[in-house]
Amino acid sequence: MKLSKVDNEEEYLMLSGIQHFEFCKRQWALIHIEQQWEENVQTVEGQQLHEKADQPFIREKRKNKLVVRAMPVQSHKLKINGICDVVEFIQDNSGVEITGETGKYTPVPIEYKRGKPKTHESDLFQLTAQALCLEEMLVCDIKKGFMFYNEIKQRVEVPITDTLKTKVEETVVEMHEYYSRRYTPKVKTGKHCRSCSLQNICLPSLMHKRSVKSYIEGMLKE
């Protein structure tokens, strides 16, 4: 794994972007490189759900469990940073020490989503990226995490396998390559386009010729 040179932490990529990248590389580039965005019902519902989970600085103890919300995480190895919706630290003699707490704990990341389990791996990639950040920060090994899907009101356990970790690391390398080149992929239409919040910005019929940014600049000149 070889990343492009990034010395400034302010230039780290957003961890949440890995979900966009796995869902559609073009969508990720439009948001993170071309700074394009448009709300739809799904994005608004997702924001409302995360507002409930992302209550920063809340840290509560429940018997053998420490629950931390909106926990900032980062990986200097992958050069990404972001926020974990919830991290549950389960008391475990084989775990790690936590500042201000007695005993040892094993961290378990939990990501909240508005819909239901998906057929693609975008959600799993985001959760795995969070696990990789936590592993690096706490010097530990994370074997599982959970996705909470609001539509089914259930947690789904996700094994954090070595295969998933490798896929995420390779994906992050590709993201850095795209970002350093300021490269926006051409359109690849599919069923996923129907739920994309950028379908009115993506402009599939035009993208084989130029980027959204150059299209808008051309329209302004006219």
Side-chain angles (χ1 to χ4, degrees), residues 71 73 87-90 92 94-98 104-109 128 130-144 160 162 165:
M71 179 175 174
V73 293
V87 180
E88 290 185 350
F89 292 88
I90 312 300
D92 180 358
S94 62
V96 296
E97 294 182 353
I98 302 296
K104 295 183 177 181
Y105 296 80
T106 295
V108 179
T128 302
Q130 293 175 4
L132 287 170
C133 288
L134 288 167
E135 286 185 341
E136 183 178 324
M137 292 169 61
L138 301 173
V139 191
C140 65
D141 187 23
I142 296 176
K143 299 294 186 183
K144 69 177 181 180
I160 307 297
D162 290 339
K165 291 177 183 179

Side-chain angles (χ1 to χ4, degrees), residues 69-84:
R69 303 179 187 276
M71 179 175 174
V73 293
Q74 66 178 359
S75 167
H76 296 302
K77 176 184 176 182
L78 299 178
K79 303 186 187 304
I80 58 175
N81 55 33
I83 301 289
C84 289

Side-chain angles (χ1 to χ4, degrees), residues 51-72:
E51 284 174 1
K52 297 178 181 179
D54 292 349
Q55 302 178 47
F57 313 117
I58 290 184
R59 172 172 162 167
E60 55 182 304
K61 190 73 177 293
R62 301 176 185 173
K63 296 183 179 179
N64 69 332
K65 182 188 302 183
L66 177 66
V67 181
V68 180
R69 303 179 187 276
M71 179 175 174

Side-chain angles (χ1 to χ4, degrees), residues 145-164:
F146 289 92
M147 303 296 307
F148 178 86
Y149 289 99
N150 194 53
E151 188 171 324
I152 62 174
K153 306 295 184 185
Q154 287 183 5
R155 281 187 179 187
V156 176
E157 183 173 329
V158 178
I160 307 297
T161 65
D162 290 339
T163 299
L164 261 179

